[in-house]
Amino acid sequence: MTRHHKPEKRYLRLIIVALVCILFAVWASGCDPSRTVTFENQTDNTLKVSRFSGLSFELQPHAHVKYTILQYAGTKPVEAKDDNGTVVFSKTFTWAELKGMGWRVTIPSDGNAPN
């Protein structure tokens, strides 16, 4: 048995599917909402680094690690603590700042963020 749909419903479904496909194509081709950011530790200490959304990782002395992050609005903090829990680096970054820094966050040996 074949269902007969009213032509209006069929056209409405086609329009909705077409709009969804167009929106997806524009989104997929127009922007990549994520980037890989390199975190570099220039200190002589192992650091516990909290990045952007509160996720933490250990960063060995003079090492670097890469993480993919999703694009965000406003500012997000990066904080690094030594083994004693002392904050040795703390800075907030906008998406534009990260882009301007080449998607790299460097924790210098003196603990001050580079300008």
Side-chain angles (χ1 to χ4, degrees), residues 70-85:
L70 294 176
Q71 187 172 359
Y72 58 88
T75 61
K76 296 282 183 173
V78 173
E79 184 177 84
K81 296 179 180 180
D82 63 16
D83 289 335
N84 297 321

Side-chain angles (χ1 to χ4, degrees), residues 43 45 47 79-82 85-90 107-108 110-112:
T43 74
N45 301 307
L47 301 176
E79 184 177 84
K81 296 179 180 180
D82 63 16
T86 303
V87 175
V88 296
F89 178 88
S90 182
I107 302 167
D110 65 3
N112 294 316

Side-chain angles (χ1 to χ4, degrees), residues 54-75:
L55 299 175
S56 297
F57 61 92
E58 258 192 18
L59 189 53
Q60 298 301 314
H62 304 285
H64 68 274
V65 66
K66 295 181 180 189
Y67 283 100
T68 300
I69 62 168
L70 294 176
Q71 187 172 359
Y72 58 88
T75 61

Side-chain angles (χ1 to χ4, degrees), residues 12-73:
L12 182 60
R13 283 188 188 140
L14 286 173
I15 290 170
I16 291 171
V17 169
L19 285 174
V20 168
C21 289
I22 289 169
L23 289 173
F24 179 75
V26 168
W27 174 80
S29 66
C31 66
D32 179 2
S34 67
R35 289 287 185 253
T36 300
V37 177
T38 301
F39 296 85
E40 180 184 7
N41 179 2
Q42 293 182 343
T43 74
D44 295 329
N45 301 307
T46 299
L47 301 176
K48 182 175 182 180
V49 180
S50 298
R51 62 181 176 97
F52 309 117
S53 61
L55 299 175
S56 297
F57 61 92
E58 258 192 18
L59 189 53
Q60 298 301 314
H62 304 285
H64 68 274
V65 66
K66 295 181 180 189
Y67 283 100
T68 300
I69 62 168
L70 294 176
Q71 187 172 359
Y72 58 88

